[in-house]
């Protein structure tokens, strides 16, 4: 399996400096990863470095808590696209979802999808905070709202991706949208388990180690 095409090569650490982003992008090009995923401040740099390479530029919106207003998420999305982002990884309004405000959660996602204007939107559910049923229902809401992917984790909460969470997402959405597993995936074996469970993308800061075990 050509696992590189599944990898979103990720660097979201607060202390990341431009030289780190340059290294990330060079690695993404040389390994032919699907995308890099960087914080919004580094989208212009990543877009410049990756221009013409075929590697997508993903960034995060409402990160890492999902508690921004919808208007703020829309503004983040619009600015990211202007700066060169081609994919948006947004965090669901987790607290509202846990409270049962499903219509508001769906509208939040729909607004970002609309702002993305046809670009790929991935909805981060933060699966470690949800029950299996909540994961399934949140996946359905995300698909109904037009998301291209549902995604397990930010990597900044109490846990990361699990095979069980990915499988629950896949059961819920089938082929209606795709699945991204992220958070704590550091080896090829674990990445393959996530892919077997239904993931089409793997978000990881260990992409080089995964493709070159």
């Amino acid at each position: 399996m050509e696992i590189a095409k599944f990898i979103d090569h990720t660097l979201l650490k607060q202390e990341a400096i431009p030289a780190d982003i340059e290294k990330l992008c060079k690695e993404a090009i040389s390994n032919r990863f699907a995308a890099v995923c960087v914080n919004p401040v580094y989208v212009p740099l990543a877009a410049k470095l990756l221009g013409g390479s075929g590697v997508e530029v993903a960034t995060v919106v409402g990160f890492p808590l999902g508690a921004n207003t919808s208007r703020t998420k829309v503004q983040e999305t619009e600015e990211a696209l202007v700066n060169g982002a081609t994919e948006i990884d947004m965090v669901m309004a987790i607290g509202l979802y846990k409270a049962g405000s499903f219509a508001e959660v769906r509208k939040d996602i729909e607004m970002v999808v609309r702002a993305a204007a046809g670009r790929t939107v991935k909805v981060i559910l933060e699966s470690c905070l949800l029950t299996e049923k909540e994961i399934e229902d949140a996946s359905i809401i995300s698909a109904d709202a037009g998301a291209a992917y549902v995604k397990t984790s930010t990597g900044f909460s109490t846990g990361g991706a699990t095979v069980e969470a990915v499988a629950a997402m896949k059961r819920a959405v089938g082929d209606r949208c795709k699945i991204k597993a992220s958070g704590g995936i550091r080896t090829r074996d674990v990445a393959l388990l996530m892919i077997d469970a239904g993931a089409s993308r793997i978000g990881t800061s260990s992409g080089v180690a995964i493709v070159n075990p």
Side-chain angles (χ1 to χ4, degrees):
M1 176 184 289
E2 189 183 346
I3 200 168
K5 65 184 179 182
F6 290 85
I7 301 293
D8 282 8
H9 199 33
T10 302
L11 180 56
L12 296 170
K13 291 181 178 179
Q14 294 167 278
E15 68 271 24
I17 62 174
D20 298 324
I21 305 303
E22 292 173 8
K23 180 174 182 287
L24 186 84
C25 291
K26 287 177 182 177
E27 291 171 344
I29 293 169
S30 64
N31 288 282
R32 292 180 291 187
F33 291 143
V36 300
C37 187
V38 298
N39 279 309
V41 69
Y42 287 129
V43 167
L45 175 59
K48 178 182 177 182
L49 294 169
L50 294 172
S53 70
V55 179
E56 303 290 343
V57 179
T59 193
V60 288
V61 162
F63 193 84
L65 302 179
N68 306 55
T69 65
S70 296
R71 182 179 177 185
T72 297
K73 289 179 181 178
V74 165
Q75 290 173 331
E76 286 185 289
T77 300
E78 291 172 344
E79 184 176 17
L81 298 185
V82 168
N83 287 338
T86 57
E87 299 187 351
I88 301 295
D89 289 28
M90 70 167 289
V91 187
M92 180 181 73
I94 300 161
L96 293 178
Y97 177 74
K98 296 285 283 187
S101 299
F102 303 135
E104 195 169 350
V105 170
R106 174 171 171 164
K107 183 179 179 183
D108 183 62
I109 297 167
E110 286 175 338
M111 288 176 67
V112 171
V113 169
R114 194 176 306 118
R119 277 80 161 193
T120 294
V121 174
K122 311 182 194 101
V123 179
I124 305 171
L125 307 184
E126 205 68 280
S127 56
C128 62
L129 302 179
L130 307 178
T131 66
E132 182 177 304
K133 177 69 161 53
E134 287 173 332
I135 291 169
E136 292 173 350
D137 290 347
S139 298
I140 291 168
I141 289 170
S142 299
D144 288 346
Y149 284 78
V150 284
K151 176 178 170 181
T152 58
S153 318
T154 62
F156 284 75
S157 189
T158 58
T162 65
V163 169
E164 292 78 12
V166 171
M169 292 173 171
K170 185 64 176 177
R171 283 195 303 273
V173 300
D175 295 326
R176 294 182 60 210
C177 68
K178 298 178 182 179
I179 296 161
K180 177 176 173 178
S182 66
I185 302 171
R186 299 184 180 90
T187 68
R188 184 182 182 89
D189 286 347
V190 173
L192 289 173
L193 288 173
M194 300 296 175
I195 293 168
D196 287 344
S200 297
R201 289 281 187 94
I202 302 294
T204 179
S205 59
S206 303
V208 174
I210 287 172
V211 299
N212 301 288

